[in-house]
Amino acid sequence: MSAAERMTKLTISLGQLQIKLARVEDNLESAERMISQAAARDSQLIMLPELWSTGYDLENAGDYAHELGAGMFAQLSNIARDQSIAVFGSILERRGDQFMNCAAYYDAAGGLAGVYRKIHLFRLFDEHKWLGEGEAPTMVDLPWGPAGLSICYDLRFPELFRRYAVEQSAKLILICAEWPLVRVEHWRALLIARAIENQCFVAATNSCGDTGGTVFAGHSMIVDPWGAVIAEADEDEGLVTAEIDLDEVDRVRRAIPVFEDRRPDAYLTR
């Protein structure tokens, strides 16, 4: 899409859910309610948490996972189309003989615009025992600008976000997560840091409340390229909505041309 054809202002809703472990229909009902509320607010995109339909019931992944285009993926496509709103969040995918933590971006017509499979598996939740590793970053060319996709634990690996910003000119990073309350300060600090160092917007949706004995942090956030938090949820279930202007990314990058002063020859190693 050419720059002349792009819109610059995007209204995002963050759907912060308390996920009910292994209760797919209950979680879907909650998600559909939030998607409808976001559409009523004229949001163009709603973001749902990581593994929002099941939580971390990974040992039973075979009971929930479907191939792209089937099962929950098909339902999300239909919901996005019916509500005329883009939807992003991760669910379990069956891919050959593996199960993947798969974040899919459906546009407002229900089309599958991008698929990201989690690269960094979180050993503390035994993801490595049950899931396959994603193999590559994923960019989506949105009407508002290029965006990079990521999931939860990826936030601790700045190299991924640097690639999105420097090599692929991302103006927006989307993150869906189940981040525990015990490490909420890490969550907040890292979201702000990723926005500042990459001079882009970061939008992140987390789960909240007790799911399977772990209390999740909430604090879903949208951070601007200066590192200012322009929207943040508390620790309860709810929907947070804000408008961002992607032109702000260009203004910040012109004001402080950090990328032009990088010296990868001096400090990057294999």
Side-chain angles (χ1 to χ4, degrees):
M1 184 178 294
S2 70
E5 295 174 311
R6 290 195 188 281
M7 299 176 281
T8 64
K9 293 185 178 179
L10 166 63
T11 301
I12 302 176
S13 282
L14 308 177
Q16 184 167 287
L17 294 172
Q18 180 170 358
I19 299 168
K20 300 173 180 65
L21 188 69
R23 290 162 57 182
V24 176
E25 292 304 318
D26 290 340
N27 293 323
L28 179 59
E29 181 179 344
S30 297
E32 286 188 292
R33 182 181 68 252
M34 284 196 174
I35 293 169
S36 179
Q37 291 172 355
R41 295 182 184 184
D42 294 325
S43 298
Q44 292 140 309
L45 165 64
I46 179 169
M47 298 173 56
L48 300 173
E50 177 186 21
L51 299 177
W52 62 265
S53 65
T54 60
Y56 269 87
D57 188 27
L58 299 183
E59 60 269 34
N60 296 308
D63 295 339
Y64 316 115
H66 293 91
E67 295 180 353
L68 286 176
M72 186 65 71
F73 292 105
Q75 288 181 272
L76 281 178
S77 173
N78 292 335
I79 293 167
R81 183 194 63 231
D82 293 345
Q83 294 288 342
S84 297
I85 186 172
V87 179
F88 172 75
S90 93
I91 57 179
L92 290 168
E93 176 198 13
R94 184 184 297 273
R95 192 183 189 203
D97 60 356
Q98 290 186 315
F99 303 116
M100 313 295 290
N101 187 340
C102 175
Y105 185 105
Y106 289 94
D107 64 26
L112 184 58
V115 174
Y116 170 74
R117 298 173 178 96
K118 191 174 185 180
I119 293 173
H120 303 101
L121 299 183
F122 190 48
R123 291 177 179 271
L124 294 184
F125 284 178
D126 289 336
E127 279 192 301
H128 64 295
K129 295 181 179 179
W130 306 104
L131 302 179
E133 293 180 334
E135 299 168 353
T138 299
M139 289 285 296
V140 289
D141 188 26
L142 303 182
W144 310 275
L149 308 183
S150 60
I151 302 175
C152 200
Y153 188 42
D154 288 330
L155 186 58
R156 292 189 180 274
F157 299 86
E159 301 90 343
L160 173 63
F161 298 86
R162 205 59 161 173
R163 171 170 171 168
Y164 280 144
V166 174
E167 298 182 22
Q168 298 178 291
S169 302
K171 292 189 173 185
L172 172 66
I173 305 293
L174 305 181
I175 305 170
C176 56
E178 280 192 83
W179 194 284
L181 180 60
V182 68
R183 291 183 289 277
V184 66
E185 294 306 324
H186 295 191
W187 166 256
R188 297 191 77 261
L190 290 171
L191 289 174
I192 293 168
R194 296 294 89 86
I196 293 171
E197 68 197 8
N198 295 301
Q199 299 180 312
C200 65
F201 284 95
V202 172
T205 299
N206 196 21
S207 64
C208 63
D210 188 320
T211 302
T214 299
V215 178
F216 292 93
H219 289 275
S220 300
M221 295 169 59
I222 300 174
V223 188
D224 79 6
W226 289 112
V229 177
I230 60 175
E232 182 173 2
D234 55 20
E235 295 174 10
D236 298 322
E237 186 171 270
L239 190 71
V240 173
T241 303
E243 181 184 75
I244 63 175
D245 184 349
L246 276 296
D247 276 351
E248 182 68 8
V249 173
D250 295 328
R251 289 190 285 268
V252 170
R253 290 176 178 175
R254 285 195 299 268
I256 307 179
V258 172
F259 298 164
E260 296 177 17
D261 296 329
R262 294 175 68 246
R263 287 287 311 282
D265 57 306
Y267 46 73
L268 289 187
T269 61
R270 287 284 179 182

